[in-house]
Amino acid sequence: SAGTIVGAHNSCIAGVQDILALHEKRKDTLSARDNNGNTPLHIAVKHRASHKVIDLFGDLEEALRRKLFSQLDKDGNVPLVIALNMKDVCPCVVASIIRALPSMCLIPSPSGSMPIRKATAIGLPSSVIKAFLLTDMPIEIIHADVVKP
């Protein structure tokens, strides 16, 4: 039933939260790489973890959060670029990554493409595109017809 699925999902989120709390105490393990060159965050993004899981990484202490969201995988991609390169990426996951470390929006992919270009090319919603724009222009974006000379 739907209630069972939601309950199981919430249990998984709680389990991930407990695991991250344990790893946060041992800061080295959250940034450790597996045999394929991936950190736990890379794996979460590549395996299409819920945006709630990505938010848990985003809630970590600032220095650790910065390290995790800016680490490159073996192909030279940060988590944001990994997400944008996935077919049918969940916009909420992209938004969670941007919230966690907005400066990653300004880092080009290994091919030199800016993340906002990929985001618009794959048709992410305007709310996510606005989040990209706000990292580059931290001012309130308003409609042109509202501002009259």
Side-chain angles (χ1 to χ4, degrees), residues 4-40:
T4 303
I5 292 171
V6 170
H9 181 74
N10 287 338
S11 294
C12 286
I13 296 296
V16 170
Q17 193 169 20
D18 291 342
I19 292 167
L20 288 176
L22 175 65
H23 283 287
E24 188 173 17
K25 291 178 184 173
R26 297 186 54 211
K27 296 181 187 324
D28 58 323
T29 58
L30 272 177
S31 60
R33 296 176 185 277
D34 65 11
N35 292 337
N36 295 318
N38 295 307
T39 67

Side-chain angles (χ1 to χ4, degrees), residues 77-141:
N77 295 307
V78 294
L80 179 59
V81 173
I82 293 168
L84 292 172
N85 285 332
M86 296 180 67
K87 182 177 171 38
D88 299 324
V89 65
C90 174
C92 293
V93 167
V94 175
S96 291
I97 295 171
I98 293 170
R99 270 193 309 277
L101 194 57
S103 61
M104 288 297 96
C105 293
L106 306 174
I107 306 298
S109 70
S111 67
S113 177
M114 293 304 289
I116 191 169
R117 183 174 184 167
K118 180 70 174 183
T120 54
I122 63 174
L124 288 180
S126 61
S127 60
V128 177
I129 301 302
K130 180 178 178 180
F132 277 97
L133 292 172
L134 287 172
T135 64
D136 195 27
M137 308 179 295
I139 57 172
E140 183 61 33
I141 297 176

